[in-house]
Amino acid sequence: TRRTPAPPSPTAADSRGALVLQILAFHLTAEGYKNRYSPKVIAAMRGSSALMSLLDEDARAGNLDRVIPAALDAVERRTQGDDAPKVWGDLHTLRLSHWIGLAPLIGGPYRFGEFPVAGSSTTVLKSAHTLTDEPHQTFYGANARHIMDLADPDGNYVVILAGQDGWLGSENFLDQT
C-alpha cells in the first residue's frame, strides 16, 4: 500500500503560515524590544537563529502581551492588498549566481536566477536570513541533504544544489536547479 505523502513543511516556499510567523516575529521584535535594547542590538538579534527561542520565552512569560495586538495588526496590514506577499516564497528567495555575480557592473551575466525557497534559520532545510518583513535573499543555505524514510522505499528526499564548483562552462552547472 502507498503511504499518504507528508504535509508540506511549515516553512515551505508556498506556506502562508511561515510567512505570517516571520512577519509576526519581526514586529514583535521591533515593538517588544525597542525600550529594552538599542537599535544595534535589535539588528543583531534579527540575524540570530536564537531570536525565535527568545520570543517564545518572552511570550510565555507575558513579557510581550502589550505588543501582541499591534504586531497582529501589522501582520494583517502587511499581508493585505494585491501587492502584498501571500506565501513565504514571496519574501524568501535564493539568488543562484557564481561568485563573480557579486561584482558591480560586470556581475549580471553571472547571475542565473532568483527563486522562492523553503526553509529558515531554524529548520532542517536551512536557509539563513535576517528577520524582516520585506523581500530578502538567503545568505546561507543547505546545499546537500538526504532524508530517508526507512519504512517507505519511495520515501527518499534529496536536495543537491549544483554550481558552486566555479566551472562556468560545465554541462552540469545548473542541472540540479
Side-chain angles (χ1 to χ4, degrees):
T1 60
R2 282 269 196 226
R3 294 178 65 190
T4 304
S9 158
T11 53
D14 62 353
S15 170
R16 176 94 172 149
L19 171 76
V20 169
L21 175 65
Q22 293 293 318
I23 294 173
L24 178 63
F26 173 79
H27 288 284
L28 285 174
T29 302
E31 291 303 312
Y33 298 131
K34 72 179 180 183
N35 294 328
R36 197 165 152 190
Y37 301 113
S38 72
K40 282 186 175 184
V41 170
I42 292 172
M45 291 168 65
R46 286 189 178 134
S48 170
S49 60
L51 178 58
M52 296 303 267
S53 295
L54 178 63
L55 286 170
D56 180 54
E57 184 179 306
D58 279 343
R60 289 175 189 272
N63 298 336
L64 299 174
D65 288 354
R66 66 175 178 73
V67 298
I68 288 175
L72 290 171
D73 287 344
V75 170
E76 185 173 6
R77 283 190 311 276
R78 183 66 180 98
T79 58
Q80 301 301 312
D82 293 337
D83 293 338
K86 304 297 181 206
V87 295
W88 181 227
D90 291 343
L91 292 186
H92 193 66
T93 61
L94 168 71
R95 177 179 284 168
L96 190 59
S97 69
H98 188 274
W99 61 268
I100 298 172
L102 298 172
L105 302 175
I106 64 167
Y110 302 97
R111 297 181 201 125
F112 306 105
E114 191 167 330
F115 313 96
V117 66
S120 188
S121 297
T122 58
T123 63
V124 172
L125 190 58
K126 174 118 175 152
S127 56
H129 58 96
T130 299
L131 185 65
T132 179
D133 68 344
E134 295 296 323
H136 59 274
Q137 296 169 356
T138 63
F139 54 82
Y140 174 83
N143 58 16
R145 295 286 190 265
H146 183 184
I147 300 171
M148 182 184 308
D149 180 351
L150 296 176
D152 179 3
D154 295 322
N156 290 283
Y157 305 92
V158 180
V159 175
I160 302 173
L161 184 60
Q164 301 304 314
D165 61 2
W167 293 97
L168 289 170
S170 167
E171 66 184 55
N172 301 109
F173 184 63
L174 296 174
D175 67 347
Q176 295 294 311
T177 308

